């Protein structure tokens, strides 16, 4: 599996990996509601990630297709607390149609290199509440629960 920076030409393939993941999550979480133009809106957002050097957008491909991706950025940590800078997983998804042993770890390893080169040594991510596979992945990487996010429709 080859890990490389995403290019605009890759977005059609990456968008399908994103869509497949969200379609799966939507089946178990009523808070996930895809818009009628979801793919177009995602592609537009992904173009901004590629163009902005404050983001890193890596994808994994084999000889046949794009098999996964990760988008990361950095942000200020909470005021008065360490660390002062945090890495944030904006999005991460892998091909759900076949198993790719270790692919998520490979993507995460590349993200860590990018963050460490910027002096960032702590990464935060949000795992979907109703998708234990992702929670198990992050716990398996040594991640610890630090907070919970709630949605309140108003």
């Amino acid at each position: 599996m080859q890990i490389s920076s995403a290019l605009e030409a890759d977005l059609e393939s990456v968008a399908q990996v994103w869509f497949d993941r969200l379609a799966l999550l939507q089946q178990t979480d009523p808070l996930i509601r895809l818009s009628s133009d979801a793919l177009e809106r995602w592609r537009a957002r992904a173009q901004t990630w590629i163009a902005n050097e404050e983001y890193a957008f890596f994808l994994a491909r084999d000889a046949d297709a794009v098999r996964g991706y990760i988008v990361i950025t950095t942000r200020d940590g909470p005021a008065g607390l360490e660390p002062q800078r945090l890495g944030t997983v904006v999005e991460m998804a892998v091909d759900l149609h076949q198993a790719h042993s270790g692919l998520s770890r490979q993507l995460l390893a590349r993200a860590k290199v990018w963050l460490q080169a910027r002096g960032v040594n702590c990464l935060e991510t949000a795992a979907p509440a109703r998708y234990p596979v992702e929670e198990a992945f992050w716990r398996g990487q040594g991640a610890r629960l630090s907070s919970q996010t709630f949605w309140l429709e108003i």
Side-chain angles (χ1 to χ4, degrees):
M1 198 71 58
Q2 178 187 4
I3 309 293
S4 62
S5 294
L7 303 172
E8 202 163 324
D10 298 314
L11 292 183
E12 192 64 36
S13 298
V14 180
Q16 193 59 54
V17 174
W18 169 82
F19 184 83
D20 290 349
R21 176 179 178 264
L22 268 289
L24 174 72
L25 294 175
Q26 187 177 22
Q27 294 175 21
T28 59
D29 190 341
L31 294 176
I32 297 174
R33 298 182 301 257
L34 291 167
S35 64
S36 60
D37 60 347
L39 281 168
E40 291 80 18
R41 290 173 63 187
W42 184 88
R43 278 189 218 99
R45 176 70 53 87
Q47 287 173 336
T48 67
W49 296 328
I50 289 171
N52 187 336
E53 64 185 32
E54 298 297 316
Y55 290 83
F57 189 158
F58 301 111
L59 58 83
R61 89 170 68 241
D62 61 16
D64 298 322
V66 170
R67 300 300 182 185
Y69 72 95
I70 188 168
V71 180
I72 54 174
T73 191
T74 62
R75 71 169 185 87
D76 289 336
L81 300 178
E82 294 291 337
Q84 294 180 29
R85 295 289 297 163
L86 294 169
T88 300
V89 176
V90 177
E91 287 189 9
M92 182 176 181
V94 297
D95 179 9
L96 299 173
H97 300 289
Q98 59 186 19
H100 303 284
S101 181
L103 177 56
S104 295
R105 282 190 306 278
Q106 289 177 309
L107 288 164
L108 179 58
R110 184 62 186 91
K112 287 178 180 180
V113 169
W114 187 85
L115 291 166
Q116 290 169 339
R118 284 153 184 77
V120 175
N121 61 8
C122 186
L123 177 69
E124 67 178 0
T125 188
R130 292 170 183 82
Y131 194 47
V133 171
E134 285 189 26
E135 180 181 349
F137 169 76
W138 289 109
R139 288 185 185 277
Q141 301 310 301
R144 296 171 293 165
L145 184 63
S146 67
S147 65
Q148 295 180 354
T149 302
F150 295 90
W151 281 31
L152 175 65
E153 293 193 28
I154 53 174

